[in-house]
Amino acid sequence: MGELRLMKGNEVIAEAAIRAGADGYFGYPITPQSEIMETLMARKPWEETGMVVLQAESEVASINMVYGGAGCGKKVMTSSSSPGVSLMMEGVSYIAGAELPCLVVNIVRGGPGLGTIQPSQADYFQAVKGGGHGDYRLIVLAPNSVQEMNDHVALGFDLAFKYRNPAMILSDGVIGQMMEKVELSDFTPRLTEKEIIEKYGDWATTGKPRTRNQNVITSLELQSEIMEKRNQHLLKKYESMQQDVMYEEIMTEDAEYLFVAFGSSSRICQKAIEIAREKGIKVGLFRPITLYPFPTKQLKERGQKMKGILSVEMNAGQMIEDVKLAVECKVPVEWFGRFGGIIPSPQEIVDALEQKIIGG
Amino acid sequence: MAKVRGAIVVDNELCKGCGLCVVACPTNTIGLAKEVNSKGYNYAYMENPEACIGCVNCALVCPDSVITVYKVKVS
Amino acid sequence: MAELDIKDIIREENLVYKKSTLLTDNVMHYCPGCTHGVVHKLVAEVIEEMGIQEQTVGVSPVGCSVFAYNYIDIDWSEAAHGRAPAVATAIKRLMPDKYVFTYQGDGDLASIGAAEILHACNRGEDIVVIFINNAIYGMTGGQMAPTTLVGMPTATCPYGRDISLNGYPLKMTELVAQLPGTCFVTRQSAQSAAAVRKCKKAIRKAFENQNKKKGTSFIEVVATCNSGWKMNPVKANEWMEKHMFPFYPLGDLKDCEKSPAEEYNKYMEE
């Protein structure tokens, strides 16, 4: 049993990063995630593990610091919230293009534009479908508890290094600001320079000895034939990520109806299930934990047995597109959501199920 | 009196004929050839080989590092 | 005096200059007479002479020198447009024993990357910045740069840079010299053998500063873009001397003995 603490989701991200053996964090303050860098600065991990923590001049600089650090084979990360993550999208595309591992944490707030500082899930499209330019994908993890905020840091790094691809934790102000009991991970030591050279010396900019060819971190390729091959290689890599798909099902065995929800809205759905079942409505929850890779096959299997599906999201209906694709539109799929920083109540969700699916 | 003699070797194929070495040469040793290399550049060559003093000025200003310089003292 | 045959001069024992072994065999994509080639050579020579190939990581920009990694045989990170100082910051902080440098043009450093360079210099990152200023965007076809001189025509100011429309040419080097984080700020050129020798000395000094943890070393090289300027290489050099040097005067702007932190503390005490 690891160390038990009562902590805020954002603080846990910081603590988990230190414990995961992260080499560097580069960030810029933005609500509602500033506690991540504040916690790191107060913790001074450079004295404990040697982890570098730096407040950059902007999110643009932060993500490019991550690019530089990741290129050295280091375990590096950044965090931000929606408008800041938009600024990072250029760098994320470069990181994906250069096939570098890193972790980006997005504590989503309502948008578009400056929007609100309250919680939202409106960055689903940005995280899952692109956001930056070019054909690339992020590994996207959607924690729904403070515990998962802890777990997904190490998991995110592991997947990022496994696939040499940027990973994102897509959370929101609800989980970021919420205090919960958390079992912290044990400490993983940072890799030494020697270990990094052994593990990643075939691509990382660790300094070129005469005995090997130079390593160049780049996403540039002017020859279309080679670039197409590179795109095909990436495509194959993204497809192979399916083996790491994660999801959770709650009370789906006897269910006739299904909520599909991720992150904080999936928690509210659990309460909605209680209310609905008291009324005799057999409803369950399908929660994608990896939003990319999306559990398409698994949702199809479960979803096609249902009378109807309600995609519950704190946005104007984004994940619903993937839900519809998963069940190949063979089952009615509707959307319910609140946005602008409003969190839906369980009762609202049950009402929506009754109106849009059962009565619809 | 000690005299210095020099010589340069230009990689004709890689020379782009920019002419910067011609201007940099203090002894008017270098000229651009009337012939062109396979890329179509009039490459640099020692027009007056006797004049070369091996000062390396040409090599220093050469953007493509195609000039190798030799120098010898003659008494 | 006995006549000496050329063949007798061209002998291994008489060799006084040859291409640096750190320059690769790749033919540079630069136009004939381009200053980039000369500065690449100097960087390669300094790294070779200091014996720090294995300890050096370069950060290349977006612009003509985007392919710098094809020519100097060290590890490189190719940064997004303007972001090289941020990329270099992380590399240096995560691997403090390495020699880290950025190589950037005027569009990259002075325009889109103005924030990154100012803040890297202001933090006093222990990196070397090599800034090639030819007052134009070369790679994209000769558009106006922040450093384009007043009256100088480019593809996006075909009638010459007009202050009322485009503002003033930006003197980045003077700007970063003001920052306490920089320890060595100099403006060089590479149009003549003497200038090349001076420029190399500056680059060497900048690299050596990294060992001393003195802060950022910043070297501007006033350069030509003969294609963008639409002149032959020799004329371009003459034009540079006549028009660029008066506005971008050569020489050291700053050369601190002490580290920025020491200087700053001294200043605060006074």
Side-chain angles (χ1 to χ4, degrees):
Chain A
M1 187 83 179
E3 192 183 338
L4 283 180
R5 292 244 201 110
L6 181 68
M7 285 178 90
K8 258 190 180 187
N10 285 339
E11 293 165 357
V12 162
I13 292 281
E15 186 61 37
I18 299 168
R19 287 169 182 250
D23 295 299
Y25 170 94
F26 305 91
Y28 185 79
I30 183 171
T31 308
Q33 63 79 55
S34 297
E35 295 91 344
I36 298 175
M37 187 164 40
E38 288 168 9
T39 305
L40 283 168
M41 289 296 187
R43 274 281 267 111
K44 297 203 270 189
W46 51 91
E47 289 180 356
E48 193 181 330
T49 68
M51 178 185 179
V52 169
V53 186
L54 185 62
Q55 177 169 340
E57 62 270 31
S58 66
E59 288 90 349
V60 176
S62 309
I63 195 68
N64 283 285
M65 288 173 183
V66 167
Y67 177 92
C72 303
K74 299 279 184 179
K75 213 182 242 192
V76 288
M77 66 179 292
T78 183
S79 68
S80 190
S81 180
S82 311
V85 174
S86 289
L87 275 173
M88 288 184 184
M89 279 298 137
E90 175 201 45
V92 167
S93 169
Y94 277 66
I95 292 169
E99 291 197 85
L100 298 177
C102 75
L103 182 63
V104 178
V105 179
N106 184 0
I107 307 295
V108 182
R109 60 191 245 184
L114 208 44
T116 77
I117 57 167
Q118 279 81 26
S120 163
Q121 297 183 320
D123 294 356
Y124 179 90
F125 279 156
Q126 185 192 54
V128 172
K129 308 289 182 190
H133 58 282
D135 269 323
Y136 79 91
R137 296 288 188 171
L138 294 179
I139 298 159
V140 185
L141 303 170
N144 81 342
S145 64
V146 174
Q147 184 62 53
E148 281 190 347
M149 290 285 255
N150 173 80
D151 302 348
H152 287 186
V153 170
L155 175 67
F157 275 129
D158 285 349
L159 292 174
F161 274 90
K162 178 176 176 182
Y163 294 105
R164 272 182 63 188
N165 200 71
M168 177 180 275
I169 292 179
L170 190 76
S171 187
D172 60 52
V174 175
I175 299 160
Q177 298 293 333
M178 176 167 64
M179 280 188 114
E180 264 188 331
K181 186 180 82 176
V182 55
E183 184 188 344
L184 295 171
S185 306
D186 293 333
F187 281 90
T188 305
R190 288 176 55 230
L191 293 185
T192 62
E193 299 288 321
K194 208 179 142 214
E195 286 168 332
I196 287 175
I197 290 171
E198 275 167 19
K199 283 184 115 163
Y200 315 124
D202 57 334
W203 58 266
T205 53
T206 50
K208 179 202 175 300
R210 289 202 175 269
T211 45
R212 71 154 162 82
N213 290 332
Q214 61 173 176
N215 287 338
V216 177
I217 303 299
T218 181
S219 55
L220 176 64
E221 181 49 66
L222 292 185
Q223 285 187 56
S224 302
E225 290 77 14
I226 300 176
M227 191 64 214
E228 189 183 42
K229 280 207 178 102
R230 207 141 141 180
N231 284 131
Q232 281 162 343
H233 157 75
L234 289 176
L235 187 63
K236 236 175 158 174
K237 180 171 92 170
Y238 300 142
E239 282 167 359
S240 76
M241 288 174 183
Q242 273 299 331
Q243 60 186 292
D244 281 299
V245 86
M246 286 168 70
Y247 63 100
E248 183 188 23
E249 291 189 46
I250 292 171
M251 303 186 82
T252 51
E253 280 309 313
D254 65 338
E256 294 175 342
Y257 301 97
L258 194 64
F259 293 133
V260 183
F262 69 94
S264 50
S265 49
S266 71
R267 290 172 70 116
I268 307 160
C269 284
Q270 289 178 51
K271 183 69 189 170
I273 289 172
E274 274 179 40
I275 297 170
R277 286 201 173 240
E278 271 170 26
K279 295 176 84 172
I281 305 168
K282 286 183 178 170
V283 60
L285 168 69
F286 188 99
R287 171 170 82 99
I289 298 173
T290 51
L291 298 180
Y292 193 90
F294 193 77
T296 307
K297 220 175 71 192
Q298 295 81 357
L299 180 56
K300 178 186 175 180
E301 219 162 86
R302 178 62 64 194
Q304 288 193 348
K305 294 175 192 150
M306 298 292 136
K307 289 182 181 167
I309 297 173
L310 189 67
S311 185
V312 182
E313 311 170 52
M314 279 148 57
N315 58 39
Q318 298 188 14
M319 184 178 64
I320 185 175
E321 294 186 3
D322 289 325
V323 177
K324 280 185 174 175
L325 284 172
V327 298
E328 293 163 353
C329 294
K330 286 181 179 148
V331 181
V333 180
E334 294 292 339
W335 158 82
F336 174 71
R338 297 293 301 269
F339 27 87
I342 307 272
I343 302 161
S345 73
Q347 188 59 54
E348 279 179 306
I349 295 171
V350 176
D351 293 347
L353 178 69
E354 288 184 303
Q355 285 158 21
K356 293 188 166 191
I357 302 286
I358 301 171
Chain B
M1 201 183 93
K3 195 181 172 236
V4 169
R5 281 284 308 273
I8 62 168
V9 177
V10 179
D11 189 329
N12 294 350
E13 265 311 298
L14 298 184
C15 176
K16 293 174 184 164
C18 70
L20 292 181
C21 55
V22 178
V23 184
C25 178
T27 59
N28 295 320
T29 302
I30 310 174
L32 294 182
K34 287 194 179 66
E35 304 79 47
V36 293
N37 62 20
S38 67
K39 292 227 173 87
Y41 292 123
N42 299 93
Y43 51 86
Y45 79 113
M46 283 201 289
E47 202 171 42
N48 307 302
E50 301 76 27
C52 181
I53 52 169
C55 70
V56 310
N57 281 8
C58 53
L60 289 179
V61 300
C62 175
D64 292 280
S65 301
V66 300
I67 303 176
T68 310
V69 187
Y70 299 86
K71 185 163 124 176
V72 68
K73 270 186 190 159
V74 222
S75 48
Chain C
M1 196 181 68
E3 276 303 306
L4 198 57
D5 196 77
I6 294 292
K7 270 183 268 171
D8 296 323
I9 305 174
I10 301 173
R11 282 184 172 174
E12 196 56 35
E13 65 264 30
N14 298 333
L15 181 75
V16 284
Y17 188 94
K18 71 171 173 112
K19 180 179 159 176
S20 164
T21 60
L22 284 199
L23 286 173
T24 65
D25 291 334
N26 296 325
V27 180
M28 290 191 184
H29 70 285
Y30 301 117
C31 307
C34 178
T35 317
H36 277 308
V38 182
V39 183
H40 282 16
K41 171 173 66 184
L42 298 183
V43 172
E45 286 176 0
V46 165
I47 295 170
E48 185 177 13
E49 285 162 20
M50 288 175 72
I52 55 169
Q53 179 189 24
E54 197 171 347
Q55 286 88 50
T56 305
V57 180
V59 183
S60 63
V62 168
C64 282
S65 47
V66 65
F67 285 123
Y69 54 77
N70 280 340
Y71 310 126
I72 305 178
D73 191 23
I74 53 168
D75 282 354
W76 286 90
S77 198
E78 204 288 297
H81 202 16
R83 317 299 174 218
V87 174
T89 293
I91 296 173
K92 183 70 182 186
R93 296 230 176 191
L94 289 160
M95 302 192 298
D97 299 333
K98 293 282 188 283
Y99 292 81
V100 182
F101 73 95
T102 72
Y103 187 104
Q104 305 175 257
D106 44 68
D108 192 85
L109 182 142
S111 190
I112 195 165
E116 283 76 15
I117 189 62
L118 284 181
H119 285 280
C121 287
N122 196 46
R123 286 189 302 262
E125 300 294 344
D126 272 318
I127 58 171
V128 173
V129 176
I130 295 167
F131 167 40
I132 308 296
N133 176 13
N134 58 13
I136 209 161
Y137 284 77
M139 179 62 102
T140 43
Q143 295 83 8
M144 185 185 68
T147 50
T148 298
L149 298 174
V150 174
M152 182 178 168
T154 73
T156 49
C157 52
Y159 309 108
R161 183 178 188 145
D162 174 358
I163 292 171
S164 64
L165 188 63
N166 309 118
Y168 301 87
L170 186 50
K171 293 187 176 186
M172 283 306 292
T173 305
E174 277 77 357
L175 213 53
V176 302
Q178 302 301 310
L179 304 174
T182 53
C183 65
F184 176 46
V185 180
T186 185
R187 186 182 278 124
Q188 301 288 330
S189 66
Q191 84 285 12
S192 68
V196 170
R197 283 194 176 94
K198 267 194 199 163
C199 188
K200 183 174 170 183
K201 263 192 198 146
I203 293 173
R204 170 105 192 199
K205 183 178 205 166
F207 271 83
E208 283 170 350
N209 279 345
Q210 281 204 42
N211 249 349
K212 302 172 189 159
K213 309 259 177 270
K214 284 172 73 172
T216 313
S217 295
F218 186 100
I219 301 164
E220 172 179 345
V221 183
V222 182
T224 62
C225 175
N226 49 72
S227 295
W229 294 1
K230 307 194 191 317
M231 294 171 198
N232 73 42
V234 174
K235 279 269 171 304
N237 271 342
E238 288 166 13
W239 193 91
M240 173 177 74
E241 288 179 355
K242 193 170 170 203
H243 297 95
M244 296 276 280
F245 288 179
F247 191 77
Y248 298 114
L250 305 184
D252 292 352
L253 285 86
K254 185 181 190 179
D255 187 5
C256 300
E257 279 303 310
K258 291 181 178 146
S259 76
E262 283 173 276
E263 295 273 344
Y264 189 74
N265 289 339
K266 202 179 88 191
Y267 168 79
M268 291 307 279
E269 276 163 24
E270 280 165 14

PDB file of all heavy atoms in Angstrom, chain C residues 256-270:
ATOM      1  N   CYS C 256      31.428  40.709 -20.244  1.00  0.00           N
ATOM      2  CA  CYS C 256      31.537  40.744 -18.789  1.00  0.00           C
ATOM      3  C   CYS C 256      32.559  39.730 -18.298  1.00  0.00           C
ATOM      4  O   CYS C 256      32.611  38.608 -18.777  1.00  0.00           O
ATOM      5  CB  CYS C 256      30.197  40.411 -18.139  1.00  0.00           C
ATOM      6  SG  CYS C 256      28.915  41.553 -18.586  1.00  0.00           S
ATOM      7  N   GLU C 257      33.300  40.131 -17.327  1.00  0.00           N
ATOM      8  CA  GLU C 257      34.235  39.225 -16.676  1.00  0.00           C
ATOM      9  C   GLU C 257      33.475  38.262 -15.774  1.00  0.00           C
ATOM     10  O   GLU C 257      33.737  37.077 -15.714  1.00  0.00           O
ATOM     11  CB  GLU C 257      35.241  40.025 -15.834  1.00  0.00           C
ATOM     12  CG  GLU C 257      36.373  40.617 -16.646  1.00  0.00           C
ATOM     13  CD  GLU C 257      37.147  39.567 -17.440  1.00  0.00           C
ATOM     14  OE1 GLU C 257      37.552  38.556 -16.834  1.00  0.00           O
ATOM     15  OE2 GLU C 257      37.327  39.758 -18.657  1.00  0.00           O
ATOM     16  N   LYS C 258      32.497  38.850 -15.078  1.00  0.00           N
ATOM     17  CA  LYS C 258      31.776  38.062 -14.072  1.00  0.00           C
ATOM     18  C   LYS C 258      30.475  37.510 -14.642  1.00  0.00           C
ATOM     19  O   LYS C 258      30.032  37.913 -15.711  1.00  0.00           O
ATOM     20  CB  LYS C 258      31.477  38.955 -12.864  1.00  0.00           C
ATOM     21  CG  LYS C 258      32.730  39.337 -12.098  1.00  0.00           C
ATOM     22  CD  LYS C 258      32.374  40.197 -10.912  1.00  0.00           C
ATOM     23  CE  LYS C 258      33.607  40.553 -10.121  1.00  0.00           C
ATOM     24  NZ  LYS C 258      33.532  41.879  -9.532  1.00  0.00           N
ATOM     25  N   SER C 259      29.862  36.634 -13.888  1.00  0.00           N
ATOM     26  CA  SER C 259      28.580  36.088 -14.302  1.00  0.00           C
ATOM     27  C   SER C 259      27.513  37.149 -14.093  1.00  0.00           C
ATOM     28  O   SER C 259      27.693  38.071 -13.301  1.00  0.00           O
ATOM     29  CB  SER C 259      28.246  34.853 -13.476  1.00  0.00           C
ATOM     30  OG  SER C 259      27.828  35.240 -12.188  1.00  0.00           O
ATOM     31  N   PRO C 260      26.383  37.026 -14.808  1.00  0.00           N
ATOM     32  CA  PRO C 260      25.313  38.016 -14.664  1.00  0.00           C
ATOM     33  C   PRO C 260      24.859  38.157 -13.211  1.00  0.00           C
ATOM     34  O   PRO C 260      24.593  39.265 -12.743  1.00  0.00           O
ATOM     35  CB  PRO C 260      24.191  37.454 -15.522  1.00  0.00           C
ATOM     36  CG  PRO C 260      24.804  36.454 -16.414  1.00  0.00           C
ATOM     37  CD  PRO C 260      26.062  35.981 -15.766  1.00  0.00           C
ATOM     38  N   ALA C 261      24.790  37.039 -12.490  1.00  0.00           N
ATOM     39  CA  ALA C 261      24.315  37.095 -11.105  1.00  0.00           C
ATOM     40  C   ALA C 261      25.256  37.943 -10.250  1.00  0.00           C
ATOM     41  O   ALA C 261      24.814  38.799  -9.473  1.00  0.00           O
ATOM     42  CB  ALA C 261      24.208  35.691 -10.530  1.00  0.00           C
ATOM     43  N   GLU C 262      26.548  37.737 -10.450  1.00  0.00           N
ATOM     44  CA  GLU C 262      27.528  38.520  -9.687  1.00  0.00           C
ATOM     45  C   GLU C 262      27.421  40.005 -10.029  1.00  0.00           C
ATOM     46  O   GLU C 262      27.448  40.862  -9.163  1.00  0.00           O
ATOM     47  CB  GLU C 262      28.946  38.016  -9.985  1.00  0.00           C
ATOM     48  CG  GLU C 262      29.299  36.724  -9.278  1.00  0.00           C
ATOM     49  CD  GLU C 262      30.649  36.198  -9.743  1.00  0.00           C
ATOM     50  OE1 GLU C 262      30.681  35.524 -10.790  1.00  0.00           O
ATOM     51  OE2 GLU C 262      31.659  36.473  -9.076  1.00  0.00           O
ATOM     52  N   GLU C 263      27.319  40.280 -11.335  1.00  0.00           N
ATOM     53  CA  GLU C 263      27.198  41.669 -11.794  1.00  0.00           C
ATOM     54  C   GLU C 263      25.956  42.323 -11.183  1.00  0.00           C
ATOM     55  O   GLU C 263      25.981  43.457 -10.727  1.00  0.00           O
ATOM     56  CB  GLU C 263      27.087  41.712 -13.323  1.00  0.00           C
ATOM     57  CG  GLU C 263      28.311  41.236 -14.058  1.00  0.00           C
ATOM     58  CD  GLU C 263      29.330  42.348 -14.286  1.00  0.00           C
ATOM     59  OE1 GLU C 263      28.956  43.516 -14.138  1.00  0.00           O
ATOM     60  OE2 GLU C 263      30.495  42.020 -14.597  1.00  0.00           O
ATOM     61  N   TYR C 264      24.874  41.548 -11.186  1.00  0.00           N
ATOM     62  CA  TYR C 264      23.597  42.081 -10.727  1.00  0.00           C
ATOM     63  C   TYR C 264      23.657  42.394  -9.231  1.00  0.00           C
ATOM     64  O   TYR C 264      23.201  43.454  -8.792  1.00  0.00           O
ATOM     65  CB  TYR C 264      22.476  41.082 -11.024  1.00  0.00           C
ATOM     66  CG  TYR C 264      21.095  41.630 -10.772  1.00  0.00           C
ATOM     67  CD1 TYR C 264      20.529  42.556 -11.652  1.00  0.00           C
ATOM     68  CD2 TYR C 264      20.356  41.241  -9.668  1.00  0.00           C
ATOM     69  CE1 TYR C 264      19.268  43.069 -11.434  1.00  0.00           C
ATOM     70  CE2 TYR C 264      19.085  41.747  -9.438  1.00  0.00           C
ATOM     71  CZ  TYR C 264      18.548  42.659 -10.324  1.00  0.00           C
ATOM     72  OH  TYR C 264      17.292  43.174 -10.107  1.00  0.00           O
ATOM     73  N   ASN C 265      24.248  41.469  -8.480  1.00  0.00           N
ATOM     74  CA  ASN C 265      24.351  41.691  -7.042  1.00  0.00           C
ATOM     75  C   ASN C 265      25.197  42.929  -6.739  1.00  0.00           C
ATOM     76  O   ASN C 265      24.873  43.717  -5.856  1.00  0.00           O
ATOM     77  CB  ASN C 265      24.958  40.460  -6.358  1.00  0.00           C
ATOM     78  CG  ASN C 265      23.977  39.299  -6.353  1.00  0.00           C
ATOM     79  OD1 ASN C 265      22.780  39.509  -6.496  1.00  0.00           O
ATOM     80  ND2 ASN C 265      24.488  38.090  -6.236  1.00  0.00           N
ATOM     81  N   LYS C 266      26.255  43.092  -7.515  1.00  0.00           N
ATOM     82  CA  LYS C 266      27.134  44.242  -7.334  1.00  0.00           C
ATOM     83  C   LYS C 266      26.344  45.536  -7.587  1.00  0.00           C
ATOM     84  O   LYS C 266      26.403  46.480  -6.824  1.00  0.00           O
ATOM     85  CB  LYS C 266      28.316  44.133  -8.310  1.00  0.00           C
ATOM     86  CG  LYS C 266      29.536  44.937  -7.881  1.00  0.00           C
ATOM     87  CD  LYS C 266      30.676  44.782  -8.866  1.00  0.00           C
ATOM     88  CE  LYS C 266      30.571  45.803  -9.967  1.00  0.00           C
ATOM     89  NZ  LYS C 266      31.483  45.580 -11.088  1.00  0.00           N
ATOM     90  N   TYR C 267      25.562  45.514  -8.660  1.00  0.00           N
ATOM     91  CA  TYR C 267      24.758  46.662  -9.052  1.00  0.00           C
ATOM     92  C   TYR C 267      23.740  47.008  -7.972  1.00  0.00           C
ATOM     93  O   TYR C 267      23.552  48.167  -7.616  1.00  0.00           O
ATOM     94  CB  TYR C 267      24.065  46.334 -10.374  1.00  0.00           C
ATOM     95  CG  TYR C 267      22.988  47.292 -10.790  1.00  0.00           C
ATOM     96  CD1 TYR C 267      23.313  48.519 -11.382  1.00  0.00           C
ATOM     97  CD2 TYR C 267      21.644  46.971 -10.615  1.00  0.00           C
ATOM     98  CE1 TYR C 267      22.320  49.384 -11.775  1.00  0.00           C
ATOM     99  CE2 TYR C 267      20.648  47.835 -11.004  1.00  0.00           C
ATOM    100  CZ  TYR C 267      20.980  49.052 -11.587  1.00  0.00           C
ATOM    101  OH  TYR C 267      19.998  49.906 -11.969  1.00  0.00           O
ATOM    102  N   MET C 268      23.115  45.989  -7.384  1.00  0.00           N
ATOM    103  CA  MET C 268      22.104  46.214  -6.362  1.00  0.00           C
ATOM    104  C   MET C 268      22.733  46.791  -5.090  1.00  0.00           C
ATOM    105  O   MET C 268      22.127  47.608  -4.400  1.00  0.00           O
ATOM    106  CB  MET C 268      21.359  44.913  -6.031  1.00  0.00           C
ATOM    107  CG  MET C 268      20.469  44.399  -7.143  1.00  0.00           C
ATOM    108  SD  MET C 268      19.277  45.601  -7.772  1.00  0.00           S
ATOM    109  CE  MET C 268      18.001  45.461  -6.515  1.00  0.00           C
ATOM    110  N   GLU C 269      23.944  46.328  -4.805  1.00  0.00           N
ATOM    111  CA  GLU C 269      24.629  46.843  -3.620  1.00  0.00           C
ATOM    112  C   GLU C 269      24.948  48.324  -3.780  1.00  0.00           C
ATOM    113  O   GLU C 269      24.814  49.111  -2.855  1.00  0.00           O
ATOM    114  CB  GLU C 269      25.918  46.053  -3.365  1.00  0.00           C
ATOM    115  CG  GLU C 269      25.677  44.763  -2.592  1.00  0.00           C
ATOM    116  CD  GLU C 269      26.852  43.809  -2.701  1.00  0.00           C
ATOM    117  OE1 GLU C 269      27.980  44.261  -2.959  1.00  0.00           O
ATOM    118  OE2 GLU C 269      26.622  42.593  -2.538  1.00  0.00           O
ATOM    119  N   GLU C 270      25.389  48.674  -4.980  1.00  0.00           N
ATOM    120  CA  GLU C 270      25.732  50.065  -5.253  1.00  0.00           C
ATOM    121  C   GLU C 270      24.487  50.932  -5.202  1.00  0.00           C
ATOM    122  O   GLU C 270      24.484  52.041  -4.785  1.00  0.00           O
ATOM    123  CB  GLU C 270      26.390  50.186  -6.623  1.00  0.00           C
ATOM    124  CG  GLU C 270      27.870  49.789  -6.562  1.00  0.00           C
ATOM    125  CD  GLU C 270      28.447  49.541  -7.948  1.00  0.00           C
ATOM    126  OE1 GLU C 270      27.799  49.930  -8.937  1.00  0.00           O
ATOM    127  OE2 GLU C 270      29.526  48.958  -8.022  1.00  0.00           O
TER     128      GLU C 270
END
